């Protein structure tokens, strides 16, 4: 999901093996490389900023940050379409999304190996009633929108379970 919209849906291993939306590829590319020496590590970032939900760009919401964006991407919001093998993408140019990096392919192999070795039903972390709020300097809670004056809530009463061999996002 990006800016409240689904951009790609796929089985976990297929998604890591071959992302079919530029945002997914970029997001997975931001995963840190722990096998390199610490002094040489740097996090890759996606250029640009997430749009305000009350001021979304025309067409694809990821368009302003996308290297594959063309005029046809900005004329209407691309629907999430079936691209085969139980996968869906909201990119008009999903077939042109570049192959993932060697690092991402190695992560996929590690994921497949860990799942095969340990099974996917082993519970690693469980959290109940997670609550996270944004606070301002003097006024208390930061408003999400000046129009609505709502409190800045990142999470309010969220329950989560994380199992070995699965992702949570």
């Amino acid at each position: 999901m990006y800016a409240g919209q689904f951009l790609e849906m796929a089985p976990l291993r297929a998604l890591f093996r071959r992302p079919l939306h530029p945002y997914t590829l970029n997001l997975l590319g931001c995963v840190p490389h722990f096998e390199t020496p610490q002094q040489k590590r740097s996090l890759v970032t996606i250029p640009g900023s997430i749009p305000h939900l009350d001021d979304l760009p025309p067409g694809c919401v990821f368009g302003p940050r996308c290297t594959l964006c063309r005029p046809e991407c900005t004329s209407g919001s691309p629907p999430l379409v079936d691209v085969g093998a139980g996968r869906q993408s909201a990119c008009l140019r999903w077939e042109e999304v570049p192959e993932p990096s060697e690092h991402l392919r190695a992560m996929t192999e590690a994921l497949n190996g860990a799942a095969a070795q340990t099974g996917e039903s082993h519970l690693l972390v469980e959290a109940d009633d997670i609550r996270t709020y944004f606070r301002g300097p003097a006024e208390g809670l930061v408003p999400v929108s000046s129009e609505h004056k709502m409190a800045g809530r990142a999470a309010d009463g969220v329950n989560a379970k994380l199992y070995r061999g699965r992702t949570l996002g």
Side-chain angles (χ1 to χ4, degrees), residues 28-130:
L28 292 175
C30 294
V31 174
H33 298 246
F34 291 110
E35 66 280 358
T36 57
Q38 187 170 3
Q39 59 272 29
K40 291 188 177 186
R41 285 184 209 153
S42 63
L43 285 178
V44 175
T45 59
I46 302 171
S49 299
I50 298 171
H52 290 279
L53 296 180
D54 59 353
D55 188 26
L56 295 176
C60 178
V61 293
F62 189 64
R65 302 175 77 186
C66 182
T67 57
L68 293 179
C69 187
R70 300 295 181 266
E72 61 269 20
C73 301
T74 62
S75 62
S77 185
L80 194 62
V81 297
D82 185 3
V83 296
R87 303 189 64 176
Q88 296 176 312
S89 178
C91 182
L92 297 175
R93 305 179 70 205
W94 64 270
E95 293 173 298
E96 299 171 50
V97 174
E99 291 284 329
S101 68
E102 185 59 40
H103 172 66
L104 187 54
R105 284 194 291 273
M107 280 182 11
T108 302
E109 293 307 314
L111 172 70
N112 288 336
Q117 221 173 27
T118 63
E120 293 189 23
S121 61
H122 182 74
L123 180 65
L124 296 174
V125 177
E126 182 173 8
D128 291 319
D129 201 30
I130 299 167

